[in-house]
Amino acid sequence: AQKITQTQPGMFVQEKEAVTLDCTYDTSDPSYGLFWYKQPSSGEMIFLIYQGSYDQQNATEGRYSLNFQKARKSANLVISASQLGDSAMYFCAMREGLDTGRRALTFGSGTRLQVQP
Amino acid sequence: KAGVTQTPRYLIKTRGQQVTLSCSPISGHRSVSWYQQTPGQGLQFLFEYFSETQRNKGNFPGRFSGRQFSNSRSEMNVSTLELGDSALYLCASSLEGTYNQPQHFGDGTRLSIL
């Protein structure tokens, strides 16, 4: 089974509107973290936001927020007030076994977001 | 603060050759991980090094190997290159300590096999 599932290969959003990118995950480990990265066409991976499995509140970082629903195993990224520069691939990733110190990430297949003027 | 630096940015090789890619982590970061990104398989974890020791390994054949030096710089080597090894190879570094430390990625090395 896929550990990280991103069901939206592509999304369009109008500039200044909000958009939600879906991510569901599968793990039996009680200690895990979820990350979102942005990859522009230039190729670099840019860290956006993190949510830990034990965190009580949904994470927020500027225009990015994470809608974390632990029981449903979903960690959707919400981008508010979209900008043209937000056009990129977005990846959801999971790190299991947070207490092991290991850093390996499992990535989803990504969602390509296009912001239209 | 300088980011993760990967060299070279682009590389063209032929089947059967070997290649070495280099990664310099962010200063102070001792954990270095490598990932392969292809259109078909997406982003896949190769291996992770910490304090010159391989801490974790993905599901790749033995042709893929790596090492880390005492200054935390890392290299990965691919021997007997195959056409399917054409990919963007990404290196990432992170701080130890709290579990919420993200991995910071370099710009990658794009490897093309002819």
Side-chain angles (χ1 to χ4, degrees):
Chain A
Q2 292 285 341
K3 288 209 168 190
I4 298 287
T5 302
Q6 295 181 253
T7 58
Q8 306 152 314
M11 291 276 287
F12 287 92
V13 66
Q14 291 294 123
E15 198 177 4
K16 299 179 186 175
E17 290 186 350
V19 63
T20 298
L21 306 183
D22 295 342
C23 172
T24 57
Y25 59 92
D26 183 26
T27 181
S28 57
D29 193 326
S31 177
Y32 56 90
L34 297 156
F35 299 78
W36 277 91
Y37 283 87
K38 170 184 176 182
Q39 187 178 42
S41 55
S42 50
E44 77 271 28
M45 297 282 284
I46 302 166
F47 166 69
L48 297 177
I49 196 167
Y50 165 84
Q51 180 83 46
S53 58
Y54 295 126
D55 293 343
Q56 296 297 312
Q57 293 189 328
N58 286 346
T60 60
E61 287 287 349
R63 294 188 298 112
Y64 305 107
S65 60
L66 211 152
N67 183 0
F68 181 48
Q69 298 187 46
K70 194 171 180 177
R72 297 180 62 183
K73 293 189 174 179
S74 75
N76 298 338
L77 176 70
V78 180
I79 305 175
S80 63
S82 297
Q83 301 172 356
L84 295 177
D86 294 334
S87 294
M89 280 289 285
Y90 288 80
F91 291 96
C92 179
M94 177 170 63
R95 174 187 298 157
E96 297 173 278
L98 292 182
D99 51 350
T100 66
R102 294 180 174 181
R103 292 286 185 264
L105 293 172
T106 302
F107 283 87
S109 56
T111 296
R112 182 169 298 282
L113 176 67
Q114 291 184 265
V115 181
Q116 297 176 319
Chain B
K1 201 174 192 181
V4 177
T5 304
Q6 291 188 246
T7 56
R9 287 296 310 278
Y10 302 93
L11 208 47
I12 299 175
K13 292 286 187 179
T14 56
R15 280 186 299 172
Q17 287 186 310
Q18 75 163 13
V19 68
T20 299
L21 311 182
S22 180
C23 172
S24 293
I26 292 172
S27 178
H29 288 196
R30 293 162 60 197
S31 168
V32 174
S33 297
W34 289 88
Y35 295 85
Q36 182 197 65
Q37 186 176 23
T38 60
Q41 299 298 316
L43 277 150
Q44 294 185 285
F45 170 74
L46 280 157
F47 27 65
E48 180 202 351
Y49 286 87
F50 175 72
S51 289
E52 302 178 65
T53 302
Q54 188 179 87
R55 183 157 67 176
N56 201 1
K57 188 178 188 304
N59 189 25
F60 278 81
R63 300 185 297 107
F64 292 82
S65 63
R67 60 178 175 169
Q68 186 180 34
F69 302 95
S70 58
N71 61 358
S72 296
R73 190 177 71 85
S74 177
E75 288 181 348
M76 68 163 280
N77 184 276
V78 189
S79 62
T80 319
L81 286 165
E82 301 176 359
L83 292 177
D85 297 334
S86 292
L88 179 66
Y89 290 88
L90 290 162
C91 170
S93 73
S94 64
L95 278 172
E96 289 299 294
T98 56
Y99 51 81
N100 62 348
Q101 290 295 327
Q103 292 193 321
H104 298 275
F105 286 79
D107 291 343
T109 293
R110 190 166 294 281
L111 175 63
S112 299
I113 311 302
L114 303 178

